[in-house]
Amino acid sequence: MSATIPNLQQRQVMLSFAYLAYCGEQMTTPNPESTILNFINTAMPQIPPISANNKATWKVVWGPAVYTVPGAKYQDNLMFVAQSLANPTQYAIAIRGTNGISELDFILEDFDFLQQMNWPLGAATPRPAGAMISESTSIDMHILLAMQGTIASGAKQSLFTFLQTQTVQRGISVCVTGHSLGGCLSGTMALYLKENIRVWNNNRQCIVSAVTFAGPTAGNAQFAAYTDSMFNGGPYPFGWDASLGSTFDAVRCNYDIVVQGWVAANLSYVDANGNNVSPLFATYGSNLDFSNGLSWAGSSEAWGYINNHFLPPIAAVSSAQNYQQPMSGSAQLQGVFNTAFNPASDGLEDYFKAFKDQAAWQHGNSYPSILGVPALQNPNIIRKS
């Protein structure tokens, strides 16, 4: 782990909450919230960025709130709020990513990107002009905003009502975080909180920030530019690395293909020499080189067809939506290629399998590895069921 990683302490703390949001995702019993809360409470003392002397330095104060599509087997969404014990004005809102074993979750909340909705939510016309988010992001946001989380008294409150109660006597700092789909949604939720800050802050001086991990794009270029402008400069939360110049910290690994999602040019574009280029399939360079590494008879020709005749029309379909990442110029974490996922042979099928397995590992495991929080890779700590 490099000591030069910006905003490292904040990233370690927020990554801990982002991964804790996956606790209990494989449970199929009704009303799993209390069990998931127990999983989170048991895990926190075992994760050094949010513990000291085997005791948690944060506590869950709202939720976890869970949503399951009616009739579905697995949960689709989870969100909770944690408060720092050392500095009680500091709050973290954690949003779960895609449930990896729920096909319905992928369909509804990830892959519905060709249809776009106006920003802000429910607006007849986009504000600012042209700002749009994917229909999946819109669906997710409506789910999250409707959630009712349990508080210390046992009562249930919406997220906005809870934040109102916390700002009656003081200003607070709220950092929204999540991984994968949770990374996409945490940035969007932070923007929504910032836009509507007068609704919940009781006229106090409150700071909203976001630390997002591995998030695919939420919206188009106008939405991304608007997000950037809303988080530009300070004031910064306690312990924040002001050299970022923004209170939106988009954490992406250069070996994570998910963060390239929905951006047409990442899938295919024509270079200055008239050749079709796919940055996505060039992610791993010479480690997994589709263009030059196939010696098995027919594989190079097959890849040439895919690169020249299959990927360009797919890119063309998504180009109209003009998806872009917020903070697109942020420095990426430098990933390490996992040689456990090299292709078994030179066959194209083996290359695709190696690519898929490498991509899955990089998306799910590289962040705890690079940021130095190995406890988050321990299934006995982040309990899924």
Side-chain angles (χ1 to χ4, degrees), residues 116-134 137-138 141 145 185 187-193 195-196 218-220 222-223 226-227 230:
Q116 292 185 325
M117 313 296 288
N118 293 333
W119 182 266
L121 299 172
T125 56
R127 300 190 304 273
M132 308 284 283
I133 58 174
S134 72
T137 303
S138 178
M141 284 295 297
L145 291 169
L185 295 177
T188 310
M189 177 63 78
L191 176 62
Y192 190 86
L193 290 175
E195 282 188 328
N196 294 279
N220 64 3
Q222 292 92 327
F223 177 78
Y226 175 59
T227 300
M230 287 291 288

PDB file of all heavy atoms in Angstrom, residues 116-134 137-138 141 145 185 187-193 195-196 218-220 222-223 226-227 230:
ATOM      1  N   GLN A 116     -33.468   6.987 -19.917  1.00  0.00           N
ATOM      2  CA  GLN A 116     -32.986   7.971 -18.957  1.00  0.00           C
ATOM      3  C   GLN A 116     -34.121   8.813 -18.407  1.00  0.00           C
ATOM      4  O   GLN A 116     -35.161   8.993 -19.050  1.00  0.00           O
ATOM      5  CB  GLN A 116     -31.931   8.875 -19.603  1.00  0.00           C
ATOM      6  CG  GLN A 116     -30.635   8.155 -19.946  1.00  0.00           C
ATOM      7  CD  GLN A 116     -29.572   9.089 -20.482  1.00  0.00           C
ATOM      8  OE1 GLN A 116     -29.859  10.054 -21.184  1.00  0.00           O
ATOM      9  NE2 GLN A 116     -28.312   8.816 -20.143  1.00  0.00           N
ATOM     10  N   MET A 117     -33.911   9.336 -17.201  1.00  0.00           N
ATOM     11  CA  MET A 117     -34.897  10.148 -16.504  1.00  0.00           C
ATOM     12  C   MET A 117     -34.290  11.508 -16.180  1.00  0.00           C
ATOM     13  O   MET A 117     -33.078  11.643 -15.996  1.00  0.00           O
ATOM     14  CB  MET A 117     -35.338   9.460 -15.203  1.00  0.00           C
ATOM     15  CG  MET A 117     -35.677   7.989 -15.349  1.00  0.00           C
ATOM     16  SD  MET A 117     -37.089   7.671 -16.424  1.00  0.00           S
ATOM     17  CE  MET A 117     -38.438   8.266 -15.400  1.00  0.00           C
ATOM     18  N   ASN A 118     -35.163  12.505 -16.083  1.00  0.00           N
ATOM     19  CA  ASN A 118     -34.697  13.847 -15.753  1.00  0.00           C
ATOM     20  C   ASN A 118     -34.139  13.917 -14.335  1.00  0.00           C
ATOM     21  O   ASN A 118     -34.607  13.228 -13.431  1.00  0.00           O
ATOM     22  CB  ASN A 118     -35.850  14.856 -15.866  1.00  0.00           C
ATOM     23  CG  ASN A 118     -36.331  15.048 -17.284  1.00  0.00           C
ATOM     24  OD1 ASN A 118     -35.580  14.856 -18.237  1.00  0.00           O
ATOM     25  ND2 ASN A 118     -37.577  15.442 -17.440  1.00  0.00           N
ATOM     26  N   TRP A 119     -33.125  14.735 -14.174  1.00  0.00           N
ATOM     27  CA  TRP A 119     -32.673  15.103 -12.840  1.00  0.00           C
ATOM     28  C   TRP A 119     -33.075  16.551 -12.575  1.00  0.00           C
ATOM     29  O   TRP A 119     -32.930  17.382 -13.452  1.00  0.00           O
ATOM     30  CB  TRP A 119     -31.145  14.989 -12.708  1.00  0.00           C
ATOM     31  CG  TRP A 119     -30.700  15.333 -11.316  1.00  0.00           C
ATOM     32  CD1 TRP A 119     -30.279  16.548 -10.847  1.00  0.00           C
ATOM     33  CD2 TRP A 119     -30.685  14.449 -10.202  1.00  0.00           C
ATOM     34  NE1 TRP A 119     -29.994  16.482  -9.519  1.00  0.00           N
ATOM     35  CE2 TRP A 119     -30.229  15.198  -9.090  1.00  0.00           C
ATOM     36  CE3 TRP A 119     -30.999  13.102 -10.015  1.00  0.00           C
ATOM     37  CZ2 TRP A 119     -30.094  14.640  -7.819  1.00  0.00           C
ATOM     38  CZ3 TRP A 119     -30.855  12.547  -8.767  1.00  0.00           C
ATOM     39  CH2 TRP A 119     -30.406  13.306  -7.684  1.00  0.00           C
ATOM     40  N   PRO A 120     -33.631  16.842 -11.368  1.00  0.00           N
ATOM     41  CA  PRO A 120     -33.809  15.973 -10.208  1.00  0.00           C
ATOM     42  C   PRO A 120     -34.959  15.006 -10.365  1.00  0.00           C
ATOM     43  O   PRO A 120     -35.731  15.075 -11.324  1.00  0.00           O
ATOM     44  CB  PRO A 120     -34.052  16.964  -9.073  1.00  0.00           C
ATOM     45  CG  PRO A 120     -34.686  18.133  -9.731  1.00  0.00           C
ATOM     46  CD  PRO A 120     -34.036  18.234 -11.082  1.00  0.00           C
ATOM     47  N   LEU A 121     -35.065  14.099  -9.419  1.00  0.00           N
ATOM     48  CA  LEU A 121     -36.056  13.031  -9.484  1.00  0.00           C
ATOM     49  C   LEU A 121     -37.458  13.594  -9.691  1.00  0.00           C
ATOM     50  O   LEU A 121     -37.891  14.490  -8.962  1.00  0.00           O
ATOM     51  CB  LEU A 121     -36.033  12.205  -8.199  1.00  0.00           C
ATOM     52  CG  LEU A 121     -34.711  11.501  -7.885  1.00  0.00           C
ATOM     53  CD1 LEU A 121     -34.755  10.887  -6.483  1.00  0.00           C
ATOM     54  CD2 LEU A 121     -34.408  10.428  -8.911  1.00  0.00           C
ATOM     55  N   GLY A 122     -38.145  13.070 -10.689  1.00  0.00           N
ATOM     56  CA  GLY A 122     -39.528  13.446 -10.916  1.00  0.00           C
ATOM     57  C   GLY A 122     -39.743  14.773 -11.597  1.00  0.00           C
ATOM     58  O   GLY A 122     -40.884  15.194 -11.804  1.00  0.00           O
ATOM     59  N   ALA A 123     -38.677  15.468 -11.981  1.00  0.00           N
ATOM     60  CA  ALA A 123     -38.815  16.784 -12.605  1.00  0.00           C
ATOM     61  C   ALA A 123     -39.341  16.653 -14.029  1.00  0.00           C
ATOM     62  O   ALA A 123     -38.978  15.738 -14.758  1.00  0.00           O
ATOM     63  CB  ALA A 123     -37.471  17.504 -12.620  1.00  0.00           C
ATOM     64  N   ALA A 124     -40.214  17.576 -14.424  1.00  0.00           N
ATOM     65  CA  ALA A 124     -40.749  17.564 -15.788  1.00  0.00           C
ATOM     66  C   ALA A 124     -39.680  17.929 -16.807  1.00  0.00           C
ATOM     67  O   ALA A 124     -39.664  17.416 -17.920  1.00  0.00           O
ATOM     68  CB  ALA A 124     -41.929  18.527 -15.881  1.00  0.00           C
ATOM     69  N   THR A 125     -38.772  18.803 -16.414  1.00  0.00           N
ATOM     70  CA  THR A 125     -37.647  19.176 -17.271  1.00  0.00           C
ATOM     71  C   THR A 125     -36.378  19.094 -16.434  1.00  0.00           C
ATOM     72  O   THR A 125     -36.396  19.377 -15.227  1.00  0.00           O
ATOM     73  CB  THR A 125     -37.794  20.607 -17.817  1.00  0.00           C
ATOM     74  OG1 THR A 125     -37.945  21.511 -16.717  1.00  0.00           O
ATOM     75  CG2 THR A 125     -38.994  20.705 -18.724  1.00  0.00           C
ATOM     76  N   PRO A 126     -35.267  18.714 -17.037  1.00  0.00           N
ATOM     77  CA  PRO A 126     -34.035  18.537 -16.260  1.00  0.00           C
ATOM     78  C   PRO A 126     -33.480  19.864 -15.751  1.00  0.00           C
ATOM     79  O   PRO A 126     -33.563  20.877 -16.423  1.00  0.00           O
ATOM     80  CB  PRO A 126     -33.081  17.873 -17.252  1.00  0.00           C
ATOM     81  CG  PRO A 126     -33.602  18.243 -18.607  1.00  0.00           C
ATOM     82  CD  PRO A 126     -35.087  18.340 -18.453  1.00  0.00           C
ATOM     83  N   ARG A 127     -32.950  19.837 -14.544  1.00  0.00           N
ATOM     84  CA  ARG A 127     -32.284  20.997 -13.952  1.00  0.00           C
ATOM     85  C   ARG A 127     -30.958  20.528 -13.367  1.00  0.00           C
ATOM     86  O   ARG A 127     -30.964  19.715 -12.435  1.00  0.00           O
ATOM     87  CB  ARG A 127     -33.140  21.635 -12.856  1.00  0.00           C
ATOM     88  CG  ARG A 127     -34.493  22.118 -13.327  1.00  0.00           C
ATOM     89  CD  ARG A 127     -35.188  22.955 -12.252  1.00  0.00           C
ATOM     90  NE  ARG A 127     -35.331  22.239 -10.992  1.00  0.00           N
ATOM     91  CZ  ARG A 127     -36.354  21.439 -10.693  1.00  0.00           C
ATOM     92  NH1 ARG A 127     -37.315  21.228 -11.570  1.00  0.00           N
ATOM     93  NH2 ARG A 127     -36.417  20.850  -9.512  1.00  0.00           N
ATOM     94  N   PRO A 128     -29.841  20.975 -13.928  1.00  0.00           N
ATOM     95  CA  PRO A 128     -29.701  21.924 -15.029  1.00  0.00           C
ATOM     96  C   PRO A 128     -30.096  21.301 -16.362  1.00  0.00           C
ATOM     97  O   PRO A 128     -30.319  20.088 -16.429  1.00  0.00           O
ATOM     98  CB  PRO A 128     -28.210  22.256 -15.001  1.00  0.00           C
ATOM     99  CG  PRO A 128     -27.581  21.034 -14.469  1.00  0.00           C
ATOM    100  CD  PRO A 128     -28.529  20.508 -13.443  1.00  0.00           C
ATOM    101  N   ALA A 129     -30.154  22.123 -17.385  1.00  0.00           N
ATOM    102  CA  ALA A 129     -30.629  21.669 -18.686  1.00  0.00           C
ATOM    103  C   ALA A 129     -29.827  20.467 -19.167  1.00  0.00           C
ATOM    104  O   ALA A 129     -28.599  20.479 -19.167  1.00  0.00           O
ATOM    105  CB  ALA A 129     -30.525  22.806 -19.705  1.00  0.00           C
ATOM    106  N   GLY A 130     -30.548  19.436 -19.551  1.00  0.00           N
ATOM    107  CA  GLY A 130     -29.921  18.255 -20.129  1.00  0.00           C
ATOM    108  C   GLY A 130     -29.451  17.215 -19.146  1.00  0.00           C
ATOM    109  O   GLY A 130     -29.017  16.132 -19.544  1.00  0.00           O
ATOM    110  N   ALA A 131     -29.500  17.490 -17.832  1.00  0.00           N
ATOM    111  CA  ALA A 131     -28.996  16.539 -16.838  1.00  0.00           C
ATOM    112  C   ALA A 131     -29.945  15.356 -16.712  1.00  0.00           C
ATOM    113  O   ALA A 131     -31.117  15.511 -16.348  1.00  0.00           O
ATOM    114  CB  ALA A 131     -28.827  17.222 -15.487  1.00  0.00           C
ATOM    115  N   MET A 132     -29.440  14.159 -17.005  1.00  0.00           N
ATOM    116  CA  MET A 132     -30.261  12.950 -16.987  1.00  0.00           C
ATOM    117  C   MET A 132     -29.531  11.847 -16.223  1.00  0.00           C
ATOM    118  O   MET A 132     -28.299  11.786 -16.212  1.00  0.00           O
ATOM    119  CB  MET A 132     -30.531  12.465 -18.421  1.00  0.00           C
ATOM    120  CG  MET A 132     -31.082  13.503 -19.370  1.00  0.00           C
ATOM    121  SD  MET A 132     -32.828  13.858 -19.115  1.00  0.00           S
ATOM    122  CE  MET A 132     -33.575  12.416 -19.885  1.00  0.00           C
ATOM    123  N   ILE A 133     -30.315  10.966 -15.592  1.00  0.00           N
ATOM    124  CA  ILE A 133     -29.757   9.782 -14.940  1.00  0.00           C
ATOM    125  C   ILE A 133     -30.411   8.548 -15.554  1.00  0.00           C
ATOM    126  O   ILE A 133     -31.476   8.628 -16.176  1.00  0.00           O
ATOM    127  CB  ILE A 133     -29.986   9.790 -13.418  1.00  0.00           C
ATOM    128  CG1 ILE A 133     -31.482   9.865 -13.083  1.00  0.00           C
ATOM    129  CG2 ILE A 133     -29.216  10.929 -12.774  1.00  0.00           C
ATOM    130  CD1 ILE A 133     -31.792   9.723 -11.596  1.00  0.00           C
ATOM    131  N   SER A 134     -29.769   7.398 -15.388  1.00  0.00           N
ATOM    132  CA  SER A 134     -30.353   6.168 -15.920  1.00  0.00           C
ATOM    133  C   SER A 134     -31.632   5.830 -15.177  1.00  0.00           C
ATOM    134  O   SER A 134     -31.830   6.219 -14.018  1.00  0.00           O
ATOM    135  CB  SER A 134     -29.369   5.010 -15.793  1.00  0.00           C
ATOM    136  OG  SER A 134     -29.239   4.610 -14.439  1.00  0.00           O
ATOM    137  N   THR A 137     -30.864   4.064 -11.947  1.00  0.00           N
ATOM    138  CA  THR A 137     -30.496   4.948 -10.843  1.00  0.00           C
ATOM    139  C   THR A 137     -31.720   5.618 -10.258  1.00  0.00           C
ATOM    140  O   THR A 137     -31.841   5.768  -9.030  1.00  0.00           O
ATOM    141  CB  THR A 137     -29.492   6.007 -11.320  1.00  0.00           C
ATOM    142  OG1 THR A 137     -28.350   5.358 -11.885  1.00  0.00           O
ATOM    143  CG2 THR A 137     -29.038   6.894 -10.180  1.00  0.00           C
ATOM    144  N   SER A 138     -32.651   6.009 -11.120  1.00  0.00           N
ATOM    145  CA  SER A 138     -33.881   6.639 -10.646  1.00  0.00           C
ATOM    146  C   SER A 138     -34.693   5.672  -9.785  1.00  0.00           C
ATOM    147  O   SER A 138     -35.195   6.036  -8.709  1.00  0.00           O
ATOM    148  CB  SER A 138     -34.716   7.111 -11.838  1.00  0.00           C
ATOM    149  OG  SER A 138     -35.942   7.676 -11.409  1.00  0.00           O
ATOM    150  N   MET A 141     -32.957   5.294  -6.387  1.00  0.00           N
ATOM    151  CA  MET A 141     -33.089   6.459  -5.517  1.00  0.00           C
ATOM    152  C   MET A 141     -34.469   6.539  -4.887  1.00  0.00           C
ATOM    153  O   MET A 141     -34.603   6.875  -3.704  1.00  0.00           O
ATOM    154  CB  MET A 141     -32.784   7.728  -6.318  1.00  0.00           C
ATOM    155  CG  MET A 141     -31.306   7.950  -6.593  1.00  0.00           C
ATOM    156  SD  MET A 141     -30.343   8.254  -5.083  1.00  0.00           S
ATOM    157  CE  MET A 141     -31.088   9.798  -4.522  1.00  0.00           C
ATOM    158  N   LEU A 145     -34.998   6.558  -0.810  1.00  0.00           N
ATOM    159  CA  LEU A 145     -35.657   7.690  -0.143  1.00  0.00           C
ATOM    160  C   LEU A 145     -36.936   7.277   0.571  1.00  0.00           C
ATOM    161  O   LEU A 145     -37.380   7.953   1.503  1.00  0.00           O
ATOM    162  CB  LEU A 145     -35.938   8.788  -1.159  1.00  0.00           C
ATOM    163  CG  LEU A 145     -34.695   9.498  -1.700  1.00  0.00           C
ATOM    164  CD1 LEU A 145     -35.043  10.383  -2.879  1.00  0.00           C
ATOM    165  CD2 LEU A 145     -34.004  10.313  -0.601  1.00  0.00           C
ATOM    166  N   LEU A 185     -24.820   4.972  -6.447  1.00  0.00           N
ATOM    167  CA  LEU A 185     -25.929   5.566  -5.701  1.00  0.00           C
ATOM    168  C   LEU A 185     -25.463   6.502  -4.596  1.00  0.00           C
ATOM    169  O   LEU A 185     -26.154   7.477  -4.277  1.00  0.00           O
ATOM    170  CB  LEU A 185     -26.796   4.454  -5.103  1.00  0.00           C
ATOM    171  CG  LEU A 185     -27.516   3.569  -6.122  1.00  0.00           C
ATOM    172  CD1 LEU A 185     -28.282   2.456  -5.422  1.00  0.00           C
ATOM    173  CD2 LEU A 185     -28.461   4.408  -6.977  1.00  0.00           C
ATOM    174  N   GLY A 187     -22.904   8.567  -4.608  1.00  0.00           N
ATOM    175  CA  GLY A 187     -22.649   9.874  -5.186  1.00  0.00           C
ATOM    176  C   GLY A 187     -23.934  10.603  -5.522  1.00  0.00           C
ATOM    177  O   GLY A 187     -24.065  11.814  -5.318  1.00  0.00           O
ATOM    178  N   THR A 188     -24.910   9.844  -6.034  1.00  0.00           N
ATOM    179  CA  THR A 188     -26.194  10.441  -6.402  1.00  0.00           C
ATOM    180  C   THR A 188     -26.959  10.882  -5.160  1.00  0.00           C
ATOM    181  O   THR A 188     -27.568  11.961  -5.135  1.00  0.00           O
ATOM    182  CB  THR A 188     -27.033   9.435  -7.211  1.00  0.00           C
ATOM    183  OG1 THR A 188     -26.245   8.898  -8.277  1.00  0.00           O
ATOM    184  CG2 THR A 188     -28.264  10.096  -7.796  1.00  0.00           C
ATOM    185  N   MET A 189     -26.928  10.053  -4.103  1.00  0.00           N
ATOM    186  CA  MET A 189     -27.594  10.414  -2.849  1.00  0.00           C
ATOM    187  C   MET A 189     -26.931  11.637  -2.221  1.00  0.00           C
ATOM    188  O   MET A 189     -27.622  12.532  -1.695  1.00  0.00           O
ATOM    189  CB  MET A 189     -27.567   9.244  -1.876  1.00  0.00           C
ATOM    190  CG  MET A 189     -28.178   9.545  -0.510  1.00  0.00           C
ATOM    191  SD  MET A 189     -29.961   9.943  -0.578  1.00  0.00           S
ATOM    192  CE  MET A 189     -30.645   8.285  -0.745  1.00  0.00           C
ATOM    193  N   ALA A 190     -25.604  11.702  -2.260  1.00  0.00           N
ATOM    194  CA  ALA A 190     -24.918  12.866  -1.707  1.00  0.00           C
ATOM    195  C   ALA A 190     -25.339  14.137  -2.432  1.00  0.00           C
ATOM    196  O   ALA A 190     -25.568  15.180  -1.810  1.00  0.00           O
ATOM    197  CB  ALA A 190     -23.406  12.670  -1.798  1.00  0.00           C
ATOM    198  N   LEU A 191     -25.461  14.055  -3.757  1.00  0.00           N
ATOM    199  CA  LEU A 191     -25.915  15.212  -4.520  1.00  0.00           C
ATOM    200  C   LEU A 191     -27.336  15.593  -4.119  1.00  0.00           C
ATOM    201  O   LEU A 191     -27.650  16.778  -3.939  1.00  0.00           O
ATOM    202  CB  LEU A 191     -25.854  14.907  -6.020  1.00  0.00           C
ATOM    203  CG  LEU A 191     -26.397  16.000  -6.947  1.00  0.00           C
ATOM    204  CD1 LEU A 191     -25.594  17.288  -6.807  1.00  0.00           C
ATOM    205  CD2 LEU A 191     -26.380  15.530  -8.407  1.00  0.00           C
ATOM    206  N   TYR A 192     -28.198  14.608  -3.959  1.00  0.00           N
ATOM    207  CA  TYR A 192     -29.595  14.872  -3.576  1.00  0.00           C
ATOM    208  C   TYR A 192     -29.646  15.533  -2.193  1.00  0.00           C
ATOM    209  O   TYR A 192     -30.405  16.485  -1.972  1.00  0.00           O
ATOM    210  CB  TYR A 192     -30.388  13.567  -3.582  1.00  0.00           C
ATOM    211  CG  TYR A 192     -31.874  13.750  -3.447  1.00  0.00           C
ATOM    212  CD1 TYR A 192     -32.673  13.987  -4.563  1.00  0.00           C
ATOM    213  CD2 TYR A 192     -32.498  13.686  -2.202  1.00  0.00           C
ATOM    214  CE1 TYR A 192     -34.040  14.163  -4.440  1.00  0.00           C
ATOM    215  CE2 TYR A 192     -33.867  13.853  -2.076  1.00  0.00           C
ATOM    216  CZ  TYR A 192     -34.641  14.093  -3.189  1.00  0.00           C
ATOM    217  OH  TYR A 192     -35.999  14.269  -3.060  1.00  0.00           O
ATOM    218  N   LEU A 193     -28.844  15.039  -1.246  1.00  0.00           N
ATOM    219  CA  LEU A 193     -28.801  15.639   0.085  1.00  0.00           C
ATOM    220  C   LEU A 193     -28.295  17.076   0.016  1.00  0.00           C
ATOM    221  O   LEU A 193     -28.801  17.963   0.713  1.00  0.00           O
ATOM    222  CB  LEU A 193     -27.898  14.818   1.003  1.00  0.00           C
ATOM    223  CG  LEU A 193     -28.398  13.442   1.430  1.00  0.00           C
ATOM    224  CD1 LEU A 193     -27.326  12.724   2.234  1.00  0.00           C
ATOM    225  CD2 LEU A 193     -29.681  13.563   2.247  1.00  0.00           C
ATOM    226  N   GLU A 195     -28.448  19.150  -2.593  1.00  0.00           N
ATOM    227  CA  GLU A 195     -29.462  19.996  -3.228  1.00  0.00           C
ATOM    228  C   GLU A 195     -30.595  20.347  -2.267  1.00  0.00           C
ATOM    229  O   GLU A 195     -31.178  21.432  -2.347  1.00  0.00           O
ATOM    230  CB  GLU A 195     -30.054  19.277  -4.442  1.00  0.00           C
ATOM    231  CG  GLU A 195     -29.198  19.302  -5.678  1.00  0.00           C
ATOM    232  CD  GLU A 195     -29.943  18.739  -6.869  1.00  0.00           C
ATOM    233  OE1 GLU A 195     -30.784  17.831  -6.689  1.00  0.00           O
ATOM    234  OE2 GLU A 195     -29.682  19.193  -7.987  1.00  0.00           O
ATOM    235  N   ASN A 196     -30.936  19.411  -1.387  1.00  0.00           N
ATOM    236  CA  ASN A 196     -32.088  19.580  -0.489  1.00  0.00           C
ATOM    237  C   ASN A 196     -31.661  19.816   0.955  1.00  0.00           C
ATOM    238  O   ASN A 196     -32.406  19.519   1.886  1.00  0.00           O
ATOM    239  CB  ASN A 196     -32.975  18.329  -0.566  1.00  0.00           C
ATOM    240  CG  ASN A 196     -33.615  18.160  -1.925  1.00  0.00           C
ATOM    241  OD1 ASN A 196     -34.621  18.788  -2.242  1.00  0.00           O
ATOM    242  ND2 ASN A 196     -33.017  17.305  -2.752  1.00  0.00           N
ATOM    243  N   ALA A 218     -23.817   7.076 -13.176  1.00  0.00           N
ATOM    244  CA  ALA A 218     -25.213   7.292 -12.814  1.00  0.00           C
ATOM    245  C   ALA A 218     -25.971   8.037 -13.900  1.00  0.00           C
ATOM    246  O   ALA A 218     -27.165   7.825 -14.088  1.00  0.00           O
ATOM    247  CB  ALA A 218     -25.300   8.082 -11.510  1.00  0.00           C
ATOM    248  N   GLY A 219     -25.266   8.932 -14.614  1.00  0.00           N
ATOM    249  CA  GLY A 219     -25.977   9.772 -15.564  1.00  0.00           C
ATOM    250  C   GLY A 219     -25.089  10.278 -16.686  1.00  0.00           C
ATOM    251  O   GLY A 219     -23.954   9.833 -16.857  1.00  0.00           O
ATOM    252  N   ASN A 220     -25.615  11.230 -17.441  1.00  0.00           N
ATOM    253  CA  ASN A 220     -24.929  11.696 -18.643  1.00  0.00           C
ATOM    254  C   ASN A 220     -23.909  12.782 -18.322  1.00  0.00           C
ATOM    255  O   ASN A 220     -23.672  13.122 -17.153  1.00  0.00           O
ATOM    256  CB  ASN A 220     -25.950  12.173 -19.680  1.00  0.00           C
ATOM    257  CG  ASN A 220     -26.747  13.391 -19.215  1.00  0.00           C
ATOM    258  OD1 ASN A 220     -26.520  13.933 -18.136  1.00  0.00           O
ATOM    259  ND2 ASN A 220     -27.694  13.825 -20.039  1.00  0.00           N
ATOM    260  N   GLN A 222     -23.921  16.011 -18.755  1.00  0.00           N
ATOM    261  CA  GLN A 222     -24.437  17.198 -18.076  1.00  0.00           C
ATOM    262  C   GLN A 222     -24.637  16.933 -16.587  1.00  0.00           C
ATOM    263  O   GLN A 222     -24.354  17.789 -15.746  1.00  0.00           O
ATOM    264  CB  GLN A 222     -25.759  17.640 -18.706  1.00  0.00           C
ATOM    265  CG  GLN A 222     -25.621  18.170 -20.121  1.00  0.00           C
ATOM    266  CD  GLN A 222     -25.813  17.098 -21.176  1.00  0.00           C
ATOM    267  OE1 GLN A 222     -25.457  15.931 -20.968  1.00  0.00           O
ATOM    268  NE2 GLN A 222     -26.377  17.469 -22.319  1.00  0.00           N
ATOM    269  N   PHE A 223     -25.114  15.729 -16.266  1.00  0.00           N
ATOM    270  CA  PHE A 223     -25.294  15.367 -14.853  1.00  0.00           C
ATOM    271  C   PHE A 223     -23.945  15.276 -14.151  1.00  0.00           C
ATOM    272  O   PHE A 223     -23.789  15.735 -13.013  1.00  0.00           O
ATOM    273  CB  PHE A 223     -26.041  14.036 -14.753  1.00  0.00           C
ATOM    274  CG  PHE A 223     -26.219  13.543 -13.348  1.00  0.00           C
ATOM    275  CD1 PHE A 223     -27.201  14.079 -12.530  1.00  0.00           C
ATOM    276  CD2 PHE A 223     -25.404  12.536 -12.834  1.00  0.00           C
ATOM    277  CE1 PHE A 223     -27.365  13.633 -11.228  1.00  0.00           C
ATOM    278  CE2 PHE A 223     -25.565  12.069 -11.538  1.00  0.00           C
ATOM    279  CZ  PHE A 223     -26.543  12.628 -10.727  1.00  0.00           C
ATOM    280  N   TYR A 226     -22.535  18.755 -13.555  1.00  0.00           N
ATOM    281  CA  TYR A 226     -23.283  19.402 -12.484  1.00  0.00           C
ATOM    282  C   TYR A 226     -22.845  18.868 -11.129  1.00  0.00           C
ATOM    283  O   TYR A 226     -22.643  19.634 -10.177  1.00  0.00           O
ATOM    284  CB  TYR A 226     -24.772  19.183 -12.700  1.00  0.00           C
ATOM    285  CG  TYR A 226     -25.651  19.698 -11.584  1.00  0.00           C
ATOM    286  CD1 TYR A 226     -25.639  21.039 -11.230  1.00  0.00           C
ATOM    287  CD2 TYR A 226     -26.493  18.838 -10.881  1.00  0.00           C
ATOM    288  CE1 TYR A 226     -26.448  21.515 -10.206  1.00  0.00           C
ATOM    289  CE2 TYR A 226     -27.300  19.295  -9.866  1.00  0.00           C
ATOM    290  CZ  TYR A 226     -27.282  20.638  -9.525  1.00  0.00           C
ATOM    291  OH  TYR A 226     -28.066  21.101  -8.519  1.00  0.00           O
ATOM    292  N   THR A 227     -22.680  17.544 -11.024  1.00  0.00           N
ATOM    293  CA  THR A 227     -22.206  16.943  -9.781  1.00  0.00           C
ATOM    294  C   THR A 227     -20.851  17.520  -9.392  1.00  0.00           C
ATOM    295  O   THR A 227     -20.626  17.908  -8.243  1.00  0.00           O
ATOM    296  CB  THR A 227     -22.101  15.417  -9.933  1.00  0.00           C
ATOM    297  OG1 THR A 227     -23.387  14.872 -10.241  1.00  0.00           O
ATOM    298  CG2 THR A 227     -21.593  14.770  -8.655  1.00  0.00           C
ATOM    299  N   MET A 230     -21.139  20.995  -7.932  1.00  0.00           N
ATOM    300  CA  MET A 230     -21.781  21.071  -6.624  1.00  0.00           C
ATOM    301  C   MET A 230     -20.837  20.699  -5.480  1.00  0.00           C
ATOM    302  O   MET A 230     -21.041  21.108  -4.332  1.00  0.00           O
ATOM    303  CB  MET A 230     -23.011  20.174  -6.601  1.00  0.00           C
ATOM    304  CG  MET A 230     -24.181  20.701  -7.402  1.00  0.00           C
ATOM    305  SD  MET A 230     -24.927  22.185  -6.672  1.00  0.00           S
ATOM    306  CE  MET A 230     -25.760  21.471  -5.241  1.00  0.00           C
TER     307      MET A 230
END
